[in-house]
Amino acid sequence: MDMRVARWSVLVGLWLFSLPPVHAAQSAEPGSAPATAPIRDLDALVVHGVQPGPGLWKVSKDDHVLWILGTASPLPDRIQWQSGEVEAIIARSQQVLLSPSLSFNADVGFFGMLALAPAAWKAMRNEDGATLEDVLPPALHARWQAQKRRYLGRDRGVERKRPMIAANELYEAAIKSAGLGQKPVIWPVVQKAAKAAGIKPTSTTLKFEIDDPKAAIREFRAGGFDDLACFERKLVSVERDLPRLVERANAWAVGDIEALRQLPLEDADGACLRAVADSGFARNRGYGDLRERGYRHWMTIAEDALRRNRETFAMLPVDSLLAADGYLARLQARGYEVETP
C-alpha cells in the first residue's frame, strides 16, 4: 500500500465496532452492585480438539442464495474447526461478505497520521494525569480493583487509561484466563477459501469521514464521549458472564444452534455503541442512530449481492442474526425465504 495516501482510522479502543443488537436488558447503574454474585468460578470446561461448528442459514429468493455463518466471540483457543461446508460454499460463491463494523476515517496521508498519533495516544488516557480512582464512583472503582487484582495483577499503567480502554484490557485478560479468544478461528479459514476461489471479500463497514480529525480527538479528550456505561458493562461481563461466555463458545464449537439461542448476553459492545451514538462527537456530526444505520447499510449490500449472484457467503454475529429485529427477521420481512441449519 502507498503510505503517502494511506487512510488514517481513528482507533482509540472503541472507535471501530461490530454492530451487535442493543438488547432490551440494561446493565446496572454505575457504581451499583451487579445482580448476581460478582465472582463465579467457571462451571464448564472449554472444549478442544476437532469440532464441527454451526451449520449455515440459507436465505433465498428466485434461485439466488445467501449462506450465512453465525459467528460468536470469543471462541475456544484449542479447537480445530471442521470447516469443509464453509469452504465448499465459498468455492462456488461469487461474493463473500465480511462482518459488519463501524469506522471513523480521516484522509490525512502518512505524515498527517504521524502528526495525529500523539494526540490519539493522549486520548486513550484520562485528562490531567487522572487515575481511574479519580474518575470512577467509589463503589465502581472498588469492583474494578477486585477484578484487576485477579486478572491484571500489579499493572499500574492501566490505572491512568480512560475507563473504556482499561475495561477492555481487563476483559481481554479475563477471557484469556478462561481459555478463550486468543486464537482466530473463523477468519483464517474464510480468507484462505476466498483467496483460493479468486474472491476479494466485500467490506460491509459503515464508514464516516472526519473532516477535522484534530478537533474530533480534542472533543474525545475533553469528555465528548461518556464511557462510564461502557466501562460498567464490560466490568459486569468479567464479574458474572465468563461462565456463559464459555457455554456460548462451546455451543458454537459443537454446532448447537438452540443453545446459542438460549444463551444471549447483555451486550457490552452495545453499551459502548450507545455511548458513541449519544456523544457530542456523534451528535455534532449527524452520526445518530448508529445501530440502525449499520443494519440498513448491511441490508443494502446483502440484497444487492442476492440480486446479482447465484450464491453468496456472509458472516454475521449470531446474536444480531437471531434478534427479534435482527438480520434474519429483516430479510424475512422483505420476502426472502429463511431456512435454519
Side-chain angles (χ1 to χ4, degrees), residues 191-213:
Q191 183 182 40
K192 182 178 179 180
K195 184 177 181 179
I199 298 172
K200 180 181 179 180
T202 300
S203 171
T204 63
T205 297
L206 177 59
K207 297 179 180 179
F208 296 96
E209 300 300 322
I210 298 177
D211 296 329
D212 189 347

Side-chain angles (χ1 to χ4, degrees), residues 7-8 10 104-108 116 208-217 281 284-285 287:
R7 299 182 64 81
W8 183 73
V10 184
F104 298 91
N105 300 318
D107 192 3
V108 296
L116 288 169
F208 296 96
E209 300 300 322
I210 298 177
D211 296 329
D212 189 347
K214 285 186 177 180
I217 292 174
F281 167 81
N284 293 342
R285 290 164 174 77
Y287 298 161

Side-chain angles (χ1 to χ4, degrees), residues 245-265:
L245 284 169
V246 171
E247 291 180 66
R248 281 166 54 88
N250 288 346
W252 189 95
V254 302
D256 190 341
I257 299 296
E258 187 55 35
L260 290 171
R261 289 182 187 276
Q262 299 302 318
L263 291 168
L265 283 175

Side-chain angles (χ1 to χ4, degrees), residues 38-272:
I39 297 177
R40 288 176 56 191
D41 291 328
L42 297 180
D43 297 322
L45 296 176
V46 179
V47 300
H48 61 276
V50 178
Q51 300 295 340
L56 304 183
W57 277 266
K58 181 181 180 182
V59 178
S60 59
K61 181 187 282 188
D62 300 329
D63 296 325
H64 291 233
V65 178
L66 171 67
W67 299 97
I68 302 176
L69 173 67
T71 63
S73 180
L75 290 176
D77 287 337
R78 298 171 56 204
I79 63 167
Q80 181 181 341
W81 177 29
Q82 287 184 320
S83 54
E85 180 184 15
V86 164
E87 293 173 57
I89 287 174
I90 292 176
R92 64 176 190 253
S93 292
Q94 291 76 59
Q95 194 170 359
V96 171
L97 306 185
L98 298 178
S99 292
S101 61
L102 168 68
S103 72
F104 298 91
N105 300 318
D107 192 3
V108 296
F110 177 62
F111 293 105
M113 179 178 66
L114 291 180
L116 288 169
W121 175 254
K122 288 180 181 178
M124 297 177 68
R125 297 179 175 271
N126 295 310
E127 286 291 294
D128 300 322
T131 66
L132 290 174
E133 185 175 10
D134 298 323
V135 300
L136 296 176
L140 187 58
H141 184 257
R143 289 165 53 195
W144 155 261
Q145 283 292 316
Q147 300 305 321
K148 182 202 165 192
R149 285 193 297 270
R150 185 172 188 182
Y151 295 111
L152 294 175
R154 298 180 179 274
D155 185 347
R156 294 182 181 180
V158 71
E159 292 291 338
R160 295 195 179 277
K161 294 181 180 179
R162 284 191 69 123
M164 65 171 184
I165 305 297
N168 197 60
E169 289 190 18
L170 176 68
Y171 176 82
E172 294 295 330
I175 64 172
K176 180 179 180 181
S177 76
L180 302 174
Q182 301 306 301
K183 173 189 171 185
V185 174
I186 299 171
W187 172 238
V189 170
V190 172
Q191 183 182 40
K192 182 178 179 180
K195 184 177 181 179
I199 298 172
K200 180 181 179 180
T202 300
S203 171
T204 63
T205 297
L206 177 59
K207 297 179 180 179
F208 296 96
E209 300 300 322
I210 298 177
D211 296 329
D212 189 347
K214 285 186 177 180
I217 292 174
R218 282 197 301 270
E219 280 185 35
F220 184 84
R221 291 177 60 192
F225 178 94
D226 180 5
D227 52 1
L228 198 60
C230 174
F231 177 91
E232 162 79 7
R233 189 61 197 90
K234 282 282 186 179
L235 184 60
V236 169
S237 292
V238 173
E239 290 173 326
R240 73 183 191 196
D241 290 343
L242 285 180
R244 180 167 287 220
L245 284 169
V246 171
E247 291 180 66
R248 281 166 54 88
N250 288 346
W252 189 95
V254 302
D256 190 341
I257 299 296
E258 187 55 35
L260 290 171
R261 289 182 187 276
Q262 299 302 318
L263 291 168
L265 283 175
E266 292 181 40
D267 182 31
D269 287 333
C272 298

